[in-house]
């Protein structure tokens, strides 16, 4: 159901709380911000705290901009979406039954929990747990664990399905004075 919902979806917006946990030190960093998604793979991920960061996934490039540092990194879109990153889950591009061994648990606290183990492991993801809202079949929470045991835990709130999002919101031009590291040139 979840895969079909994401395939039928034209867009969504949500606020998020993301907790990154370092396995070695136990240190946690909590980030807050907003996400906008528009088919086919446009994403605008804006972190507001603890520091401002903007990631824009567009047609041909992904921009990662750090306003305080006046630094931007540019990557090919295909490279970013081909790995099993949080972006693949948020955009619905993670093919659950094709890419993972899935164990679904009974509904608890109004959410369906699924454990995911990649069929082809990679250092950035050795396991994942997703929580889905039964009424919308949309992700409510995603927990990713990498090879080192580091955790990336993302919860979505204030989910709005199919808002009208102009394509211009998924374009980025670095402000004047920004140092750009272009990783699209081979």
């Amino acid at each position: 159901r979840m895969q079909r919902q994401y395939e039928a979806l034209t867009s969504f917006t949500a606020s998020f709380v993301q907790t990154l946990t370092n396995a070695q030190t136990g240190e946690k960093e909590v980030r807050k911000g907003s996400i906008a998604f528009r088919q086919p793979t446009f994403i605008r991920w804006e972190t507001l705290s603890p520091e401002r960061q903007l990631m824009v996934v567009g047609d041909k490039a992904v921009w990662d901009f750090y306003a305080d540092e006046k630094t931007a990194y540019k990557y090919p879109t295909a490279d970013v979406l081909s790995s099993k990153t949080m972006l693949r889950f948020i955009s619905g591009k993670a093919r659950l039954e094709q890419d993972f061994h899935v164990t679904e648990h009974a509904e608890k606290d109004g959410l369906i929990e699924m454990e995911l183990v990649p069929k082809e492991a990679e250092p950035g993801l050795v396991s994942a747990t997703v929580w889905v809202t039964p009424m919308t079949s949309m992700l409510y929470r995603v927990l990713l664990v990498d090879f080192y045991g580091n955790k990336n835990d993302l919860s979505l709130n204030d989910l709005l399905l199919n808002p009208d999002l102009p394509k211009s919101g998924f374009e980025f031009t670095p402000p004047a004075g920004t140092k750009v590291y272009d990783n699209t040139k081979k």
Side-chain angles (χ1 to χ4, degrees), residues 84 89 100 118 120-128 143-147:
K84 294 178 181 80
F89 284 90
F100 299 94
E120 292 182 27
E122 61 179 63
L125 178 65
V126 295
S127 71
L143 171 62
L144 305 181
V145 180
D146 71 14
F147 176 78

Side-chain angles (χ1 to χ4, degrees), residues 1-14 35-42 89-93 136-139 156 159-163 165:
R1 280 192 334 253
M2 184 180 113
Q3 200 75 54
R4 285 191 306 274
Q5 169 67 339
Y6 273 88
E7 289 168 359
L9 191 68
T10 59
S11 61
F12 76 82
T13 60
I35 297 172
F37 168 79
R38 176 184 156 167
Q39 289 287 8
T41 54
F42 298 108
F89 284 90
I90 296 300
S91 65
K93 301 304 177 199
T136 63
S137 297
M138 294 289 293
L139 288 174
L156 300 175
L159 186 66
L160 179 60
L161 300 179
N162 299 315
L165 299 175

Side-chain angles (χ1 to χ4, degrees), residues 37-79:
F37 168 79
R38 176 184 156 167
Q39 289 287 8
T41 54
F42 298 108
I43 300 169
R44 183 179 184 88
W45 181 303
E46 191 165 5
T47 302
L48 303 173
S49 70
E51 63 181 341
R52 297 184 65 82
Q53 178 185 358
L54 174 64
M55 178 181 284
V56 177
V57 179
D59 277 327
K60 297 180 179 89
V62 174
W63 285 96
D64 202 0
F65 175 62
Y66 296 85
D68 294 344
E69 299 167 15
K70 295 184 180 180
T71 304
Y73 300 86
K74 184 179 179 184
Y75 304 95
T77 300
D79 289 357

Side-chain angles (χ1 to χ4, degrees), residues 2 14 22 30 32 50 78 85 100-101 118 122 149 156 161 171 177 180:
M2 184 180 113
N22 183 301
V30 178
K32 296 180 181 181
T85 62
F100 299 94
H101 299 286
E122 61 179 63
L156 300 175
L161 300 179
E171 297 168 356
V180 175

Side-chain angles (χ1 to χ4, degrees), residues 14 17 20 24 27 31 68 88 90 98 106-107 143 154 157 166 168:
V17 175
L20 303 171
Q24 187 173 10
E27 289 181 27
R31 299 177 179 182
D68 294 344
R88 282 186 57 87
I90 296 300
Q98 291 175 5
E107 189 174 322
L143 171 62
L154 182 82
N157 303 295
S168 62

